[in-house]
């Protein structure tokens, strides 16, 4: 079995995986970070989005071995201790989540979308989140949250 | 809004949700996040055929595959039948046909996805790999797919017990009175409608873990359920024969339900049974493509409706003939959806004096159909509101005016409809006025001209709706065939130092009960919200519960909490009277204090709590120690939220693409505890309704293969498919629950589809298009335009 070495939420980890193991399975099942979710099997829903070397990636679309040597951030690594990331805080303030299942992927996508773009428009947010499906919120409050979160991040 | 001393967290405040922190930091606990020591993994082998006899199953190779612990088929699990919770009795007192629904197929498969075998292995991949080694010898049969053809019989029926695939033939209302009204009508409007089959698609796929403790003999099932006690009852008593005291069902964080997680599914029984059989925990998690062919679907009605009117547009009578698809087996509550949740809603918001409906429920070789957000009420609303819009067009009347002319007026409540319901309260003119203003009716012609200048056709659609939520009372629904009670239970446990734990039978899977219910308790007891904890979802903690569906949680579950609090306060008064040496009748409870009326003598809530658990100076002769009360609440009636919606669309006549430009809603949900959460519920419902109108549908081919079986093929609404919304509320308080609340969870999904389709028809009216089926895809819209131009409609 191949060995992968990567940094997850700032911590070096090493794991033996089957070659076919997806990054999301490594994260959830071997590293026990269950905040990253699996909502589909066709890379459509975005519940599994994490950051790999600073870019948002659907973790069901990448083999664990492809992430070898990378820096991975999951939803568990976003807050600074007890202090929520501005995007997490914006989701809370604007009621951008209901059941919470799509939320980790949605927030991780939103952080990437907002990085360097403090003045996103509603249209840019809606198009930018096209790869993340939410069945609960109707997106209205997610859009409000991302606009506010982007501002709070300050680019 | 009730005045309260807890500032911005009481009833009426948009308190930010307490559950959010765990979900936002990845610390929610959904079923698939749970792992039990020494756990195994189940993979379900499902039928690739819609209809086939099973000649043989050979599991030898699978049993010998790496990591495999056990393989079971219908030979072991076919004896367990999945129960149906509602017996509908049709015409001539004929009970519905209720064929056996085995946990694993017995001799025959009836839909693509029908479970045939389960492989249990050390890892999920091993279980999946081994399942490919099971050799099932199928003899395929022609698939029964079309409801009208199915009812003609011929060929092999889905079930031998229903030769013409008819489950029941049910009617409601006065057929003779309706017939008489039609003969004297000045105008009759007719419409044929399809309510498209949908897949609920909660974002969390279903999952279940069975665990068995050999030392205590206790089973535990972790499952993605909206109602763990119902699963305990159905699975324990009616499937596996496990008594309640030996069966714990836990529904932890659940990632959306929309109805699809009400039902007792075979996988729950399979993992619970197998865990004991193999002596290890068994975990099963659905993949999305598996969910498409195993979660109960929604809607799927074909309907003919007719409305009789006098010369002034006054409604005289309505009749409705519906075929309702049950799918291959009866899901838990399937039979009540097209009957008691659809036929009884056909009065809508209108004083139509005579109504008759006939519903034929049909078995087909498709996934079972059951409640999906709205459940029967969207179908009824779509029929009424499309029909009225068509009538207005035929009569050349303003559709708002035609509705207004026929609304039940505020002075007419309580209002007995001709289809069994008694509406307690409402003000339909108020929501209509409100939505017309909110949607800037006055500026419409200008916007239409602007659209035209850009080559787009603008249309404006209106619909009203009424919903019946919190289905009850138990004795009435029992007489209509329900095999369950429809009350709710709650325990309010005041702990010795004055904080409170509430155990509710309602279940939150996105609705925010941990916040809303805590607001109610905090407000009523006058204690800070952080002193209140809401516990739900575990049959070993919560005394009993019927769960969350049909927009019932606050009206029914919330009222059970209120009733338990009433008992707490009543007992607290007795304790306070003793401590304050006053008469019990003189004690008032206000702002968190038990006070002797007219004096400054009082005891704080926390002092009474402590006295109840340290009963030194305490009326032990007459009052038990402790401050812990349970209430069961069985509502006297449904609640009847209602409202009016307006949307504007732009149609591109060259491509048929429809864009929703604006959407405004005015809902009457009675009193509102947390406006932020209620608005969120409306937004979510609207997008599911817009999804039904424009994007979503199940496509089966003639052989019963689901063509739209993944997110690549089934069009889920995405952020760039929908606009932002303008939502408003008006309030008529529910008259029969103490909070004055109605339900808000399904409104959007009920009101949106006719609103959107009415807007599209309005946009296409210049071509003479009078009808379009859902979903109004670009292809359908373009074709409707071309057909109209060519005179083919």
């Amino acid at each position: 079995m191949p060995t992968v070495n990567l940094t997850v939420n700032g911590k070096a980890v090493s794991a033996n995986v089957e070659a076919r193991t997806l990054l999301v399975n490594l994260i959830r099942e071997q590293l026990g970070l269950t905040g990253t979710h699996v909502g589909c099997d066709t890379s459509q829903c975005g519940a599994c989005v994490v950051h790999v070397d600073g870019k948002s990636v659907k973790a069901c679309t990448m083999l664990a071995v492809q992430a070898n040597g990378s820096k991975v951030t999951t939803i568990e690594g976003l807050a600074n201790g007890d202090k929520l990331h501005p995007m997490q805080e914006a989701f809370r303030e604007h009621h951008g989540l209901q059941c919470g299942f799509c939320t980790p992927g949605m927030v991780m996508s939103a952080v990437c979308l907002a990085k360097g773009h403090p003045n996103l428009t509603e249209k840019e947010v809606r198009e930018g989140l096209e790869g993340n499906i939410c069945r609960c919120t109707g997106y209205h409050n997610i859009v409000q949250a991302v606009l506010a979160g982007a501002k709070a991040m300050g680019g | 809004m009730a005045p309260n001393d807890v500032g911005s967290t009481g009833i009426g405040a948009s308190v930010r949700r307490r559950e959010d922190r765990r979900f936002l930091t990845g610390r929610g606990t959904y079923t698939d996040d749970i792992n039990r020591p020494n756990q195994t993994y189940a993979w379900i082998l499902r039928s690739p055929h819609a209809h086939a006899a099973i000649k043989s199953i050979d599991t030898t190779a699978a049993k010998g595959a790496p990591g495999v612990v056990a393989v079971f088929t219908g030979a072991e699990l076919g004896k367990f039948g999945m129960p149906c919770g509602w017996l509908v009795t049709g015409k001539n007192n004929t009970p519905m046909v209720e064929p056996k629904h085995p946990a694993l197929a017995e001799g025959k498969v009836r839909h693509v996805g029908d479970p045939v075998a389960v492989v249990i292995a050390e890892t999920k991949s091993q279980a999946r790999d081994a399942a490919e080694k099971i050799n099932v010898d199928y003899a395929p049969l022609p698939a029964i797919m079309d409801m009208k053809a199915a009812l003609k019989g011929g060929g092999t029926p889905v079930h031998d017990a229903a030769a013409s695939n008819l489950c029941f033939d049910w009617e409601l209302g006065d057929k003779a009175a309706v017939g008489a009204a039609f003969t004297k009508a000045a105008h009759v409007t007719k419409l044929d409608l399809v309510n498209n089959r949908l897949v609920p698609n909660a974002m969390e796929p279903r999952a279940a873990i069975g665990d068995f403790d050999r030392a205590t003999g206790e089973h535990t099932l972790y499952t993605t359920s909206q109602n763990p006690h119902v699963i305990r009852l159905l699975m324990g008593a009616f499937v596996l024969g496990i008594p309640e005291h030996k069966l714990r069902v836990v529904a932890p964080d659940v990632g959306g339900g929309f109805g699809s997680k009400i039902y007792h599914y075979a996988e729950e029984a399979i993992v619970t049974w197998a865990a004991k059989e193999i002596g290890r925990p068994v975990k099963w998690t659905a993949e999305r493509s598996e969910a498409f062919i195993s979660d109960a679907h929604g809607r799927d009605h074909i309907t003919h409706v007719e409305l009789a009117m006098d010369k002034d547009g006054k409604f005289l009578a309505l009749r409705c003939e519906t075929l309702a698809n049950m799918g291959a087996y009866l899901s838990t509550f399937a039979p009540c959806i097209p009957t008691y949740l659809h036929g009884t809603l056909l009065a809508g918001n209108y004083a139509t004096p005579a109504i008759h409906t006939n519903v034929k429920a049909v078995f087909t070789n498709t996934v079972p159909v059951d409640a999906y957000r709205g459940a029967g009420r969207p179908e009824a609303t779509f029929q009424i509101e499309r029909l009225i819009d068509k009538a207005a067009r035929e009569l050349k009347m303003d559709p708002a005016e035609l509705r207004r002319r026929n609304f039940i007026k505020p002075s007419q409540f309580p209002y007995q409809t001709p289809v069994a319901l008694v509406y307690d309260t409402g003000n339909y003119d108020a929501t209509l006025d409100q939505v017309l203003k909110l949607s800037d009716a006055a500026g419409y012609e200008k916007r239409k001209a602007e659209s035209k200048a850009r080559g787009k056709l603008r249309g404006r659609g209106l619909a009203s709706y009424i919903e019946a939520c919190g289905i009850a009372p138990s004795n009435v629904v029992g007489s209509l065939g329900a095999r369950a009670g429809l009350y709710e239970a709650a325990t309010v446990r005041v702990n010795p130092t004055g904080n409170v734990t509430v155990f509710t039978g309602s279940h939150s899977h996105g609705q925010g009960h941990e916040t809303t219910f805590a607001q109610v308790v905090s407000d009523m007891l006058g204690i800070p919200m952080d002193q209140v904890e809401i516990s739900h979802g575990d049959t070993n903690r919560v005394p009993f519960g019927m769960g969350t569906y049909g927009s019932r949680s606050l009206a029914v579950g919330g009222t059970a909490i209120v009733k338990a609090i009433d008992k707490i306060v009543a007992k607290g008064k007795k304790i306070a009277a003793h401590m304050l040496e006053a008469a019990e009748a003189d004690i008032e409870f206000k702002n968190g204090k038990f006070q002797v009326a007219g004096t400054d003598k009082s005891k704080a809530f926390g002092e009474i709590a402590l006295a109840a658990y340290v009963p030194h100076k305490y009326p032990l002769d007459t009052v038990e120690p402790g401050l812990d009360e349970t209430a069961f609440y069985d509502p006297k009636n449904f609640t009847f939220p209602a409202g009016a919606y307006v949307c504007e669309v732009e149609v591109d006549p060259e491509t048929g693409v429809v864009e929703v430009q604006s959407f405004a809603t005015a809902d009457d949900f009675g009193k509102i505890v947390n406006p932020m959460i209620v608005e969120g519920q409306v937004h979510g419902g609207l997008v599911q309704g817009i999804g039904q109108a424009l994007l979503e549908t199940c496509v089966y081919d003639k052989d019963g293969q689901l063509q739209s079986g993944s997110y690549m093929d089934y069009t889920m609404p995405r952020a760039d498919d929908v606009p932002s919304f303008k939502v408003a509320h008006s309030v008529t308080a529910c008259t029969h629950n103490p909070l004055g609340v109605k339900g808000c969870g399904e409104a959007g999904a009920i009101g949106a589809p006719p609103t959107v389709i009415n807007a599209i028809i309005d946009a296409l009216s210049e071509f003479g298009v009078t009808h379009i089926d859902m979903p109004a895809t670009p292809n359908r819209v373009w074709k409707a335009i071309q057909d109209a131009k060519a005179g083919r409609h």
Side-chain angles (χ1 to χ4, degrees), chain B residues 494-499 527 592 594 603-612:
Chain B
V494 182
N495 298 309
T497 61
N499 49 69
I527 58 175
F594 292 91
K603 288 284 176 191
F605 181 73
E607 292 179 275
I608 298 299
L610 191 62

Side-chain angles (χ1 to χ4, degrees), chain B residues 103-131:
Chain B
L104 287 177
E106 266 186 319
K108 192 174 168 184
V109 287
R110 293 183 173 86
H111 66 88
V112 169
D114 208 355
V116 173
V118 56
V119 181
I120 298 167
E122 298 294 340
T123 70
K124 191 170 178 175
S125 317
Q126 287 173 332
R128 186 178 192 163
D129 290 347

